[in-house]
């Protein structure tokens, strides 16, 4: 499998491509990383150095890849945080170019906007761009519950309302939706859930909730789920493998006392998921 991953990158820590590439490589996947920003560290520190990469420069890199005759070998285009509005057009163009070269390729979009606790942390125009132009051309989207609500103009909270919101999202274009950080009020105390839905059904998986915010864990989740789903075509299996790997990564990080994901130390959890959580069919 080959994945073209168009995301941000940092020198220190693990978010964007700096979070997604290595776990995919440990699965034996060839990754072509195209960076949209190059920062010293993620912006959650409140201070960082580096710059956004101009959309035309990102386009140039993708064009250079195309000139090597590689786009026909790409199985998945993956995108995450978008630092500016121009990058959306570049990503959509890249998806079209890849699918023209390989009609069986899929596009997996992580529509990064914010979360329920922090609110929206991207420029105001980005969520609109994602909703109106990027998500409709995606095959897989991996929003959290907050992002799902924005995309669909709803307020998902219960399992039923989240499923209804997913149906609205799927009507926009994507056939498969992974909802991360599902926090329905009737779940068991001290747990958190992920929900995967495609044309064959809907499954939810529940894991312990660790009192820890791990920047980049969503990027790892989107990458692993997209790869597993592409490889198996099985939403439940992809959900179980992803939940297993990501929980072990976050738990290892939490126990380390470090702020940044212990991405390298957790590498065996990507290559050999323990599969300690079972997905329950809910539709």
């Amino acid at each position: 499998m080959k994945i073209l991953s168009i995301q941000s990158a940092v020198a220190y820590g693990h978010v964007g491509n700096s979070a997604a590439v290595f776990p995919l490589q440990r699965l034996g996947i060839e990754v072509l990383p195209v960076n949209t920003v190059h920062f010293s560290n993620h912006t959650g520190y409140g201070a960082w150095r580096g710059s956004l990469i101009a959309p035309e420069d990102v386009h140039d890199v993708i064009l250079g890849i195309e000139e090597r005759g590689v786009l026909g070998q790409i199985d998945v285009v993956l995108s995450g945080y978008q630092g500016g509005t121009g990058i959306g057009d570049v990503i959509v163009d890249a998806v079209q170019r890849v699918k023209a070269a390989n009609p069986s390729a899929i596009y997996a979009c992580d529509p990064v906007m914010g979360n329920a606790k922090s609110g929206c942390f991207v420029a105001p125009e980005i969520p609109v761009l994602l909703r109106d132009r990027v998500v409709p051309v995606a095959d897989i989207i991996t929003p959290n519950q907050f992002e799902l609500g924005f995309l669909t103009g709803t307020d998902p909270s219960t399992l039923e309302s989240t499923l209804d919101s997913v149906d609205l999202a799927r009507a926009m274009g994507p056939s498969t939706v992974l909802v991360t950080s599902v926090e329905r009020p009737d779940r068991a105390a001290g747990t958190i859930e992920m929900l995967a839905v495609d044309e064959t059904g809907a499954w939810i998986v529940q894991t312990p909730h660790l009192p820890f915010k791990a920047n980049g864990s969503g990027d790892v989740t989107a990458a692993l789920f997209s790869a597993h789903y592409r490889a198996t075509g099985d939403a439940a299996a992809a959900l179980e493998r992803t939940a297993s790997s990501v929980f072990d990564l976050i738990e290892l990080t939490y126990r380390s006392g470090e702020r940044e994901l212990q991405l390298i130390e957790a590498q065996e959890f990507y290559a050999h998921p323990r599969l300690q959580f079972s997905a329950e069919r809910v539709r």
Side-chain angles (χ1 to χ4, degrees), residues 5 28 47 89 95-96 99 109 119 172 200 205 242 259 275 277:
S5 183
D89 291 330
V95 171
Q96 293 169 341
K99 289 193 171 188
C109 170
M172 296 168 64
T200 66
V205 65
T242 302
R259 176 172 180 171
L275 297 177
F277 307 111

Side-chain angles (χ1 to χ4, degrees), residues 32-65:
L32 287 70
V34 176
N35 298 331
T36 58
V37 312
H38 189 199
F39 288 164
S40 55
N41 50 271
H42 69 69
T43 59
Y45 285 93
W48 65 94
R49 295 184 182 273
S51 60
L52 297 171
I53 298 174
E56 54 269 27
D57 292 334
V58 178
H59 172 77
D60 250 10
V61 172
I62 296 168
L63 183 60
I65 295 171

Side-chain angles (χ1 to χ4, degrees), residues 1-7 17 20 24 29-36 58 62 65-66 70-80 82 87-111 134-135 137-142 176 219 222-227 229-230:
M1 189 187 301
K2 285 187 173 64
I3 293 181
L4 177 67
S5 183
I6 310 171
Q7 301 198 55
N17 270 337
L24 291 172
I29 294 168
E30 183 74 41
V31 186
L32 287 70
V34 176
N35 298 331
T36 58
V58 178
I62 296 168
I65 295 171
E66 183 177 32
V70 177
L71 293 194
Q73 302 171 26
I74 300 296
D75 300 290
V76 181
V77 180
L78 175 66
S79 73
Q82 298 186 21
I87 199 65
D89 291 330
V90 174
I91 291 170
V92 170
D93 178 70
V95 171
Q96 293 169 341
R97 289 170 180 267
V98 168
K99 289 193 171 188
N102 178 14
S104 69
I106 62 172
Y107 170 37
C109 170
D110 185 9
V134 181
V135 166
V137 304
D139 299 288
I140 299 173
I141 59 171
T142 59
T176 303
D219 303 319
L224 291 178
F225 180 82
S226 300
Y229 188 76
R230 174 63 174 177

Side-chain angles (χ1 to χ4, degrees), residues 174-198:
S175 59
T176 303
V177 178
L178 173 71
V179 187
T180 63
S181 303
V182 175
E183 299 187 48
R184 53 174 170 157
D186 57 340
R187 73 188 189 281
T191 65
I192 196 163
E193 295 169 316
M194 288 198 293
L195 173 72
V197 183
D198 67 3

Side-chain angles (χ1 to χ4, degrees), residues 245-263:
S245 298
V246 173
F247 175 79
D248 282 337
L249 166 63
I250 295 175
E251 183 180 45
L252 180 65
T253 303
Y254 177 64
R255 294 187 183 282
S256 76
E258 297 291 332
R259 176 172 180 171
E260 292 289 345
L261 286 176
Q262 299 300 287
L263 194 81

